[in-house]
Amino acid sequence: MSRLLVTGGAGFIGSNFVRYLVERTDHSVIVLDKLTYAGNLASIEDLPAERVRFVRGDIADAGLVDGLVGELDGEHDAIVHYAAESHNDNSLSDPRPFLDTNVIGTYTLIEAARRRGTRFHHISTDEVYGDLELGDPARFTESTPYNPSSPYSSTKAASDLLVRAWVRSFGLRATISNCSNNYGPYQHVEKFIPRQITNVLRGVRPKLYGRGENVRDWIHADDHSSAVLAILERGRIGETYLIGADGERSNREVVELILEAMGHPRDDYDLVPDRPGHDLRYAIDSTKLRDELGWTPRFRDFESGLRATVDWYRANESWWAPQKDSAEARYAELGR
Ligand code: NAD
Ligand code: TDX
């Protein structure tokens, strides 16, 4: 049994990871989260206090971070770093918090990990590789060159490069994973799938950017969690692993599936102005993770995973309703 310091554990993927750890392992967890607009304590507050301790704070606060990393056992414990500003649309309106959290925050964590000799796992995204053409058989691999498009993805790319440099220059015991688009419970209503589900629940038509042709490679958040655990347990220090579950769908297909699952006509959506610089397509080749670490996704049927996600939002309006109006107000300002 060991202790994990999970940054961003009150956000979407971090909270799913903490819940996964509590259900399936005997690790204990310290969650460090600033509770920005994207963090929600309600995502983890039902978990047992003897397994999960919550600390509200900023990953760029060097004193706080050093104290928490100092509580870890240098040999057996680890830091799993999810905290980030994560939304592309917000990064186009105001990039500064993305630099503060994604770059300076990551730097602050790896400096503490370096000083204390602590194992570090960095959570990143497939967006660091830029985008692929529609209809191209190519997919991203660990050797695809970095080519980020947005302020969000460029700050994630910067953070990956910092971690790589700290491995090479200082011997930091780190691994990196770059995952594709996640879906599942506890995702903020600003993101594509929850936005459309909660719009339909409120009697508003889903909104597709551009012509809805952009493609994302969907993976259930639980499968992301099992992959991160496999990398923590068996991954090789200094290596990068791509995480994906062969879930390519166009945004239009996803909206049609949501409408169908919710009993509405499949064409009951609106096209709205496109996101500037909008990446066309992401697709992950996760052969390395599967062959080297024996990982496979459990949610292989996107349609049924999506229906379960619709059911979760239907049953948990009290979790998402407090954020819905402010998220839609931000979109109204953008005309989307
Ligand atoms: P999210 O926005 O839902 O959650 C981010 C969490 O980090 C929030 O709880 C927030 O309060 C916290 N946070 C933000 N700034 C902080 C700071 N300075 N100090 C401490 N805590 C802070 O994000 P998410 O979708 O769960 O993404 C988590 C990670 O996974 C990110 O690193 C993201 O780049 C990566 N990722 C996300 C996806 C996806 O599809 N959502 C895909 C691949 C990788
Ligand atoms: O209302 C919408 N309509 C729409 O068509 C919204 C909110 C989005 N979209 C499109 C834009 C994208 O093509 O849907 C797709 C998914 O959008 P987002 O949920 O904003 O995700 P994306 O920009 O693909 O980035 C996500 O995946 C990679 C996460 O937000 C990132 O944190 C992660 O790194």
Side-chain angles (χ1 to χ4, degrees):
M1 187 187 93
S2 52
R3 216 151 30 137
L4 300 178
L5 174 61
V6 178
T7 72
F12 164 45
I13 309 179
S15 67
N16 274 281
F17 181 65
V18 172
R19 303 188 77 84
Y20 191 91
L21 289 175
V22 168
E23 279 162 26
R24 291 160 192 262
T25 74
D26 54 11
H27 299 308
S28 65
V29 181
I30 304 170
V31 168
L32 171 60
D33 197 297
K34 189 178 173 180
L35 295 182
T36 67
Y37 79 95
N40 192 342
L41 209 45
S43 306
I44 51 170
E45 67 190 351
D46 59 313
L47 297 173
E50 62 276 15
R51 297 289 302 283
V52 180
R53 178 174 136 217
F54 179 73
V55 177
R56 183 171 191 178
D58 192 328
I59 55 165
D61 178 341
L64 172 67
V65 164
D66 199 56
L68 290 172
V69 175
E71 288 184 31
L72 300 178
D73 172 325
E75 212 171 309
H76 300 106
D77 297 347
I79 302 167
V80 188
H81 173 35
Y82 288 89
E85 285 292 335
S86 69
H87 194 36
N88 276 300
D89 289 322
N90 294 344
S91 81
L92 295 163
S93 307
D94 180 14
R96 179 64 200 238
F98 291 74
L99 288 147
D100 292 337
T101 290
N102 301 358
V103 181
I104 301 299
T106 301
Y107 158 76
T108 307
L109 287 163
I110 56 180
E111 275 293 86
R114 160 165 96 96
R115 276 194 297 274
R116 306 265 183 186
T118 313
R119 170 87 168 86
F120 187 85
H121 181 69
H122 181 59
I123 303 293
S124 193
T125 169
D126 58 359
E127 296 192 20
V128 299
Y129 300 114
D131 62 354
L132 299 160
E133 294 298 326
L134 299 175
D136 181 347
R139 300 196 289 174
F140 299 135
T141 71
E142 286 77 4
S143 56
T144 303
Y146 274 39
N147 187 25
S149 317
S150 73
Y152 162 67
S153 54
S154 61
T155 57
K156 290 299 292 188
S159 67
D160 293 11
L161 298 183
L162 290 175
V163 175
R164 288 183 182 193
W166 262 237
V167 170
R168 168 93 183 244
S169 297
F170 303 123
L172 182 71
R173 291 188 296 128
T175 41
I176 299 175
S177 54
N178 298 78
C179 189
S180 61
N181 283 63
N182 285 221
Y183 73 98
Y186 303 103
Q187 187 170 28
H188 195 280
V189 288
E190 71 188 350
K191 300 294 188 339
F192 177 54
I193 288 178
R195 184 183 186 205
Q196 313 314 336
I197 295 171
T198 55
N199 274 356
V200 175
L201 288 173
R202 291 229 159 145
V204 175
R205 282 155 69 97
K207 296 182 191 309
L208 274 173
Y209 292 175
R211 291 190 297 177
E213 287 173 344
N214 304 60
V215 169
R216 297 295 182 261
D217 188 354
W218 294 99
I219 180 172
H220 194 279
D222 264 3
D223 283 331
H224 190 176
S225 294
S226 67
V228 169
L229 203 55
I231 297 166
L232 272 175
E233 288 168 352
R234 306 189 291 283
R236 283 183 294 136
I237 297 300
E239 292 293 312
T240 289
Y241 296 88
L242 264 54
I243 306 174
D246 304 325
E248 280 189 72
R249 296 281 187 293
S250 73
N251 294 337
R252 184 195 300 267
E253 285 175 281
V254 173
V255 157
E256 287 172 352
L257 288 169
I258 290 171
L259 284 163
E260 194 171 43
M262 299 181 77
H264 288 250
R266 286 168 67 92
D267 60 355
D268 198 12
Y269 57 78
D270 291 326
L271 298 179
V272 296
D274 210 352
R275 170 187 286 171
H278 194 177
D279 280 340
L280 278 177
R281 170 176 163 253
Y282 307 134
I284 289 269
D285 177 347
S286 58
T287 304
K288 176 177 173 182
L289 176 68
R290 294 175 195 232
D291 286 359
E292 208 177 278
L293 305 186
W295 173 84
T296 47
R298 216 166 50 84
F299 289 81
R300 288 149 186 281
D301 179 1
F302 177 69
E303 282 73 7
S304 72
L306 190 61
R307 280 195 299 276
T309 305
V310 168
D311 291 343
W312 189 87
Y313 280 90
R314 213 192 275 286
N316 289 279
E317 183 160 356
S318 61
W319 181 87
W320 57 263
Q323 275 84 44
K324 182 67 180 166
D325 289 344
S326 55
E328 287 306 319
R330 287 197 290 275
Y331 282 121
E333 273 174 33
L334 299 171
R336 293 205 283 272

